[in-house]
Amino acid sequence: MERQKPDTETNEIALYLRTVYSLLRSTGEVRVRAFEEAHSFSNSSLHVGAREPTPDIGAFGYAAARLPDCMPQIQRVVLGQSDETFADFGFQTHAWQRVRTRGRRRLLRWDGAETLAAYVASTSDIDDLVPILTAYQIEWNKMHELLAGGATGSAGNPAAKPVPVAEALDLSEADYARLREALGSDSDAALRALATRRLDLRVRLLAGSFSAYERAAQHWWHGVERVYVRDPAAPHPPVYFVSSNTHSLANLLGGYALAHRDAIFAAARRDPRVDFLPELEQQLADGSPAAP
């Protein structure tokens, strides 16, 4: 695939998104490793240690909290808009087990083996899910290499004591506790899987057309409409239908940004990658609007 070397953070992110969508629009499964280079060079603030050889437990924990506890068993993630979409491609997901995450309310179903079905309501769901899967795999494989290396050394010398996980990964007590929490309710089994195998996830997008998203949103709206429009003759206030990322409403309307205004600005000023500081300072000084 031809690509231009990015020269700004914006270009890096644009390259990442182009890579994701150009690959997902293919007819088959895409290995998550195909996203890893673009992901690592996008300089995500949620995965600052992507290119470092040491594990980024913060990034792994963030990703793991947005994925189900069965992730150590998953090898394939299938994306679709509805049960009908999955069924069209031979996946009877309506009979699969529903699984939940701590950090997202996205509908997920698991076949009990190696396949996870993720219901995507819009392209923003893909923008969210693919980086999460990629960060999870990058950090999993870093930790696997460290643990597998330690296990090999112990096997070569039967008298040697096994190296504790925290020591093998060079984790503090607090980071080790965060890792176990990230690995879910059966963290012992997950740690064994972590030491045993590399992760090589595959992703497949079943249908990515606007009409497919529109049909899914219309299907959900029918359920809301029965309650909202009890009397068709009565006037109704306008409705803004949010099909995904509903947590953003609380972020925007809950007052958090205003309550932590100074801390947010201080963090922005400390970030050497930020290239909009002059514009920000001008806006703070005279209240001018952002440039188009």
Side-chain angles (χ1 to χ4, degrees):
M1 179 179 63
E2 272 189 35
R3 64 186 180 91
Q4 180 180 1
K5 183 179 183 298
D7 54 8
T8 68
E9 185 175 7
T10 300
N11 285 347
E12 290 161 349
I13 294 172
L15 170 64
Y16 190 9
L17 293 176
R18 287 198 306 271
T19 301
V20 167
Y21 285 101
S22 64
L23 292 174
L24 287 180
R25 288 192 183 104
S26 64
T27 56
E29 296 177 352
V30 179
R31 297 173 75 180
V32 166
R33 65 181 297 179
F35 306 132
E36 290 185 3
E37 180 185 5
H39 175 98
S40 297
F41 283 89
S42 67
N43 295 321
S44 168
S45 59
L46 296 175
H47 198 182
V48 294
R51 300 198 297 273
E52 300 297 324
T54 53
D56 185 338
I57 299 300
F60 183 76
Y62 179 90
R66 287 149 181 82
L67 296 168
D69 287 354
C70 61
M71 275 308 295
Q73 302 175 58
I74 299 300
Q75 296 187 25
R76 175 173 60 175
V77 180
V78 186
L79 313 179
Q81 289 81 11
S82 64
D83 285 336
E84 292 76 15
T85 301
F86 284 107
D88 288 344
F89 289 84
F91 298 98
Q92 303 304 320
T93 51
H94 64 279
W96 294 7
Q97 175 187 350
R98 181 168 183 177
V99 289
R100 302 179 185 276
T101 74
R102 289 165 285 148
R104 285 286 186 273
R105 297 184 65 182
R106 179 177 294 114
L107 177 58
L108 301 167
R109 293 191 183 277
W110 177 38
D111 70 347
E114 300 175 347
T115 302
L116 180 71
Y119 290 70
V120 290
S122 64
T123 54
S124 64
D125 277 341
I126 298 173
D127 296 347
D128 177 63
L129 188 55
V130 169
I132 285 172
L133 291 170
T134 308
Y136 185 92
Q137 176 164 295
I138 288 173
E139 295 306 322
W140 175 287
N141 287 338
K142 283 185 194 177
M143 292 186 284
H144 166 74
E145 294 300 329
L146 291 170
L147 292 176
T152 301
S154 297
N157 181 2
K161 295 181 179 179
V163 178
V165 171
E167 182 180 338
L169 299 179
D170 194 22
L171 299 181
S172 65
E173 185 177 338
D175 277 344
Y176 180 60
R178 291 170 68 191
L179 173 61
R180 292 192 69 98
E181 180 182 5
L183 290 172
S185 56
D186 194 355
S187 59
D188 288 338
L191 283 171
R192 288 193 293 271
L194 191 60
T196 302
R197 67 179 182 91
R198 286 181 58 84
L199 206 58
D200 188 16
L201 292 170
R202 305 183 306 277
V203 180
R204 183 180 179 188
L205 177 63
L206 299 183
S209 67
F210 176 78
S211 60
Y213 293 120
E214 190 174 37
R215 286 195 301 272
Q218 188 63 43
H219 176 73
W220 297 326
W221 172 246
H222 285 323
V224 176
E225 190 175 31
R226 288 197 299 269
V227 177
Y228 179 71
V229 187
R230 293 186 181 276
D231 181 3
H236 299 90
V239 173
Y240 184 71
F241 184 56
V242 181
S243 62
S244 63
N245 295 335
T246 52
H247 65 280
S248 63
L249 297 179
N251 295 343
L252 291 170
L253 304 176
Y256 181 91
L258 288 175
H260 299 83
R261 178 179 185 272
D262 293 341
I264 293 171
F265 287 144
R269 292 183 178 109
R270 288 195 302 270
D271 191 339
R273 298 173 300 167
V274 172
D275 57 5
F276 55 78
L277 277 181
E279 182 183 353
L280 173 63
E281 300 294 356
Q282 182 67 32
Q283 292 166 9
L284 293 175
D286 59 17
S288 59

